[in-house]
Amino acid sequence: MGIYKKVFELKFKKYLQYRSSFLLNFLFSSIPLLGYIVIWLYMYNYSSIVGGFDRTQMIIYYLFSCILNVCITPDFQWDMNNDIREGGIIKFLLLPISYFKYRMASFFAGVLLKLIINVPLIFIILFFYVIEGSYNNITFISIILFTFFLICSSIISFLLYYLLILMSFFIVEISAVSYTLEIIIQFFAGSLIPLSLFPEKLQSVLYFTPFPYIIYFPLNLILKKIDYFNCLKALLIIFIWILILAYLIMLFWKKGLMRYDGNEK
């Protein structure tokens, strides 16, 4: 455990040196966000409630969605892909260190720094939310639950992307597959539009997948009243998916190593 704590600390310091790149990344990711907000403001000229959200809630939803998307979307994909394709992973196989735990420690170091950088913006958004008179849903319990499910969403996001990049063992060129699946994940996570706008039957199916618990569900804990039964149900589904994804990662890792020679697959 001490090794991975050190990895976490070193990666955090490394990311700290490039904190300006995080800010630039957030700024560039905010460009389409402005377009979304303009479109929704226009939509609210015709209806006061859309998808169960009023105008203020929808704006807050997209602002928080942008922040969470930046914070919990992994950025190790191409490094990991290069490790597999170019043989860099061999050094981890020769050392008493788990490549999975190494990547996880690095990932959470990045998540922590991104959240720290975005804390002032989060407080500004919450302040705007309060002065708009929509503060009734924000309680100490909702903040605790949001924080807990944010950790869960980070774990799910890490596992999904880690599993995705393990396909590098079996696919020569993974970039097209990676981009496609990344868009699918963001779409069904509620990053592009709230899932409440989806058909009810599709929503019922999606709630049994890991995707809603990455973005949509944690944000609902802040924006809407808490349904404790749904929280327990979500926790159970998240736990099951963590086990499933962990098993698939272990399976793909073993299969990949069986055909891996450091240069070709």
Side-chain angles (χ1 to χ4, degrees):
M1 181 61 92
I3 295 177
Y4 306 108
K5 180 181 178 182
K6 193 65 177 179
V7 169
F8 179 92
E9 293 173 353
L10 291 174
K11 286 295 181 179
F12 184 82
K13 291 178 181 178
K14 179 182 177 181
Y15 286 136
L16 194 59
Q17 294 175 350
Y18 298 97
R19 55 190 178 275
S20 59
S21 66
F22 290 128
L23 290 173
L24 288 174
N25 184 30
F26 177 77
L27 289 175
F28 282 117
S29 65
S30 300
I31 294 175
L33 170 67
L34 296 177
Y36 290 136
I37 291 177
V38 170
I39 291 173
W40 283 111
L41 287 176
Y42 177 79
M43 293 287 290
Y44 278 102
N45 289 330
Y46 300 93
S47 178
S48 60
I49 300 293
V50 178
F53 296 90
D54 61 30
R55 183 182 64 177
T56 301
Q57 288 177 327
M58 187 64 78
I59 294 174
I60 300 298
Y61 179 92
Y62 273 100
L63 290 173
F64 265 117
S65 174
C66 182
I67 293 174
L68 292 185
N69 201 37
V70 169
C71 290
I72 68 175
T73 298
D75 55 7
F76 61 78
Q77 298 96 307
W78 306 119
D79 288 339
M80 184 173 167
N81 181 51
N82 290 335
D83 283 344
I84 294 174
R85 291 180 54 80
E86 299 176 6
I89 203 170
I90 293 178
K91 62 184 179 183
F92 292 95
L93 301 177
L94 299 176
L95 294 173
I97 184 173
S98 166
Y99 188 76
F100 174 82
K101 293 179 181 179
Y102 166 80
R103 284 297 171 196
M104 178 172 276
S106 302
F107 166 70
F108 276 102
V111 170
L112 179 61
L113 180 60
K114 292 172 190 176
L115 286 174
I116 291 174
I117 291 175
N118 283 287
V119 161
L121 181 58
I122 291 173
F123 277 108
I124 291 173
I125 294 173
L126 289 178
F127 177 75
F128 171 74
Y129 192 40
V130 168
I131 63 175
E132 282 289 313
S134 305
Y135 59 89
N136 292 332
N137 296 331
I138 301 179
T139 63
F140 177 75
I141 295 177
S142 67
I143 293 175
I144 293 297
L145 286 173
F146 172 77
T147 304
F148 175 76
F149 278 96
L150 178 60
I151 295 172
C152 292
S153 67
S154 299
I155 295 173
I156 291 175
S157 180
F158 170 79
L159 293 176
L160 282 171
Y161 280 90
Y162 191 93
L163 179 61
L164 168 62
I165 302 303
L166 284 181
M167 294 173 64
S168 297
F169 279 120
F170 311 98
I171 301 176
V172 176
E173 182 53 57
I174 196 174
S175 58
V177 177
S178 177
Y179 282 125
T180 301
L181 292 180
E182 185 171 338
I183 292 173
I184 291 173
I185 290 172
Q186 291 187 2
F187 183 72
F188 289 121
S191 179
L192 303 181
I193 60 174
L195 299 188
S196 57
L197 295 173
F198 287 20
E200 290 187 5
K201 290 184 178 180
L202 180 56
Q203 288 185 50
S204 301
V205 174
L206 285 176
Y207 278 121
F208 288 98
T209 71
F211 305 120
Y213 308 103
I214 298 176
I215 297 289
Y216 182 73
F217 189 84
L219 289 183
N220 269 325
L221 295 176
I222 291 292
L223 297 175
K224 296 185 176 181
K225 291 183 179 179
I226 300 171
D227 186 328
Y228 294 105
F229 175 76
N230 283 334
C231 284
L232 292 175
K233 181 181 176 182
L235 186 59
L236 177 61
I237 294 173
I238 289 171
F239 178 72
I240 292 173
W241 272 108
I242 287 176
L243 293 179
I244 292 173
L245 292 171
Y247 173 76
L248 290 175
I249 286 172
M250 182 178 64
L251 183 64
F252 274 62
W253 176 259
K254 289 183 178 179
K255 293 286 186 181
L257 290 182
M258 288 176 63
R259 57 183 301 178
Y260 184 72
D261 63 12
N263 296 301
E264 297 179 347
K265 297 171 284 298

